[in-house]
Amino acid sequence: MGNFGDDLNPWLWPKLLPDFFNDDSSELLVGIGTLLNHRLPNDKTLHIVGSGVGYGQLPAVTDKWKVHAVRGPYSAKALDLDPSTVVTDSALLLRNVMEPTHKENGDIGFMPHYLSCRSADWENIAEACGFRFISPEWSVDKVFAEMAQCRLMLTEAMHGAIVADALRLPWKAVILGDHVNQVKWQDWLSTVDMQYQPESVPNYFYSAGTSSVNAIKDEVKRQLQSVGFGKSWYKPKPRNSSAKVRSDVCSQLSAIANSAQGELSGEAIQNQLILRLNQSLDALQA
């Protein structure tokens, strides 16, 4: 798929529920991601485990919904669900299959939102900053391997933070563009008794200044993809950055990294949430 949060689903759920997935197409597991919207089918039994609202139109909750857990209180309120359905994002279930790991003297990891990866050359900028670039468009296994080499994660991608938190890798939220959905961040963070307090880098969208037809096409596609259109189109070339822009952005990011203490949810809270998610898994298989 090319979006880390979404790609966690086919990686994780077969490990957690090896006997759940079969040829029965009448039931659907709705797990990790901002998936509770109008696109959900209304002709299937939907097992909701840790998903949330945030994109698209709100769906109609029917008797075909089996709500085992939702991502946070905003999601429950938006869908008029009982507060008891609030648990947390189900990516925390990684703890069932992975041990927490990071390097105390490792690198600073840097994960932009996937839309940022389509609009600027963040990999080159991260390299210039001395950071370990981690793309949300890489395979799940590669992302895990790269995160394990880090002591701190600067992440614009919410599931970069959720996974880092689950694996006890200190993280700091950053904002690089105007496409970050802050409500879904706080929906999750409310469940771990934290607040969304990102550091913002001034909007970095630099055009190389060329007026070629291809450059114009790429720019149009960037703009359309930034608002949700054309996800199946080819990925446009990133905008180029000048040496000065790259230097300025590196200075800003390095200052954030140097001052960041790194955030982590409390161990006791996380253990309690893991227990509740595992109870949801038990109910799902009952």
Side-chain angles (χ1 to χ4, degrees):
M1 293 182 186
N3 186 0
F4 180 55
D6 294 336
D7 293 351
L8 284 168
N9 286 296
W11 188 94
L12 180 61
W13 292 111
K15 294 177 173 61
L16 297 171
L17 302 168
D19 299 323
F20 181 82
F21 300 95
N22 51 40
D23 294 331
D24 184 0
S25 62
S26 66
E27 296 186 86
L28 183 67
L29 176 64
V30 184
I32 301 164
T34 308
L35 304 175
L36 304 183
N37 57 43
H38 65 285
R39 297 182 182 89
L40 290 172
N42 54 22
D43 60 343
K44 299 179 185 295
T45 298
L46 304 179
H47 293 279
I48 314 298
V49 188
S51 192
V53 303
Y55 297 127
Q57 302 167 25
L58 290 176
V61 179
T62 71
D63 57 4
K64 285 185 171 291
W65 282 47
K66 309 300 179 185
V67 183
H68 306 279
V70 292
R71 181 167 61 204
Y74 176 83
S75 293
K77 184 176 181 179
L79 297 172
D80 197 25
L81 299 173
D82 192 281
S84 65
T85 61
V86 176
V87 184
T88 195
D89 191 288
S90 47
L92 180 57
L93 285 166
L94 285 170
R95 286 292 294 271
N96 282 13
V97 299
M98 294 179 68
E99 292 293 326
T101 178
H102 67 277
K103 285 191 173 181
E104 293 292 342
N105 60 346
D107 297 331
I108 295 171
F110 176 69
M111 180 185 283
H113 190 279
Y114 81 96
L115 286 174
S116 290
C117 293
R118 298 181 181 187
S119 61
D121 57 337
W122 287 109
E123 184 168 6
N124 292 330
I125 293 170
E127 182 181 355
C129 296
F131 298 161
R132 182 179 287 266
F133 177 76
I134 303 175
S135 173
E137 299 183 302
W138 288 346
S139 72
V140 170
D141 285 313
K142 183 173 182 180
V143 170
F144 287 154
E146 296 295 315
M147 290 177 70
Q149 303 302 311
C150 298
R151 70 178 187 273
L152 172 70
M153 277 285 291
L154 300 182
T155 178
E156 188 184 30
M158 184 182 73
H159 279 94
I162 292 173
V163 169
D165 199 73
L167 300 180
R168 306 283 79 187
L169 168 61
W171 56 272
K172 181 64 182 175
V174 296
I175 292 180
L176 309 173
D178 56 6
H179 42 248
V180 174
N181 185 324
Q182 300 191 29
V183 171
K184 73 175 189 179
W185 271 87
Q186 191 54 52
D187 195 33
W188 161 60
L189 285 165
S190 296
T191 67
V192 293
D193 196 25
M194 296 174 72
Q195 294 292 317
Y196 184 50
Q197 298 175 319
E199 294 282 354
S200 293
V201 174
N203 208 340
Y204 165 69
F205 292 125
Y206 174 83
S207 175
T210 178
S211 59
S212 71
V213 172
N214 287 338
I216 293 171
K217 285 182 177 179
D218 278 341
E219 184 62 24
V220 170
K221 287 183 178 180
R222 286 190 203 101
Q223 296 299 326
L224 289 173
Q225 287 180 334
S226 72
V227 294
F229 293 103
K231 291 187 176 181
S232 63
W233 297 342
Y234 80 88
K235 181 178 173 181
K237 294 178 181 178
R239 295 183 180 93
N240 295 318
S241 61
S242 68
K244 182 181 186 306
V245 167
R246 192 172 301 183
S247 175
D248 289 346
V249 173
C250 278
S251 295
Q252 294 155 7
L253 287 172
S254 296
I256 292 170
N258 291 335
S259 63
Q261 298 298 313
E263 300 183 41
L264 280 179
S265 65
E267 189 75 21
I269 292 175
Q270 190 179 93
N271 289 338
Q272 182 183 38
L273 293 174
I274 292 170
L275 177 62
R276 292 188 64 195
L277 284 173
N278 280 325
Q279 290 171 343
S280 296
L281 294 186
D282 292 340
L284 183 61
Q285 299 175 91

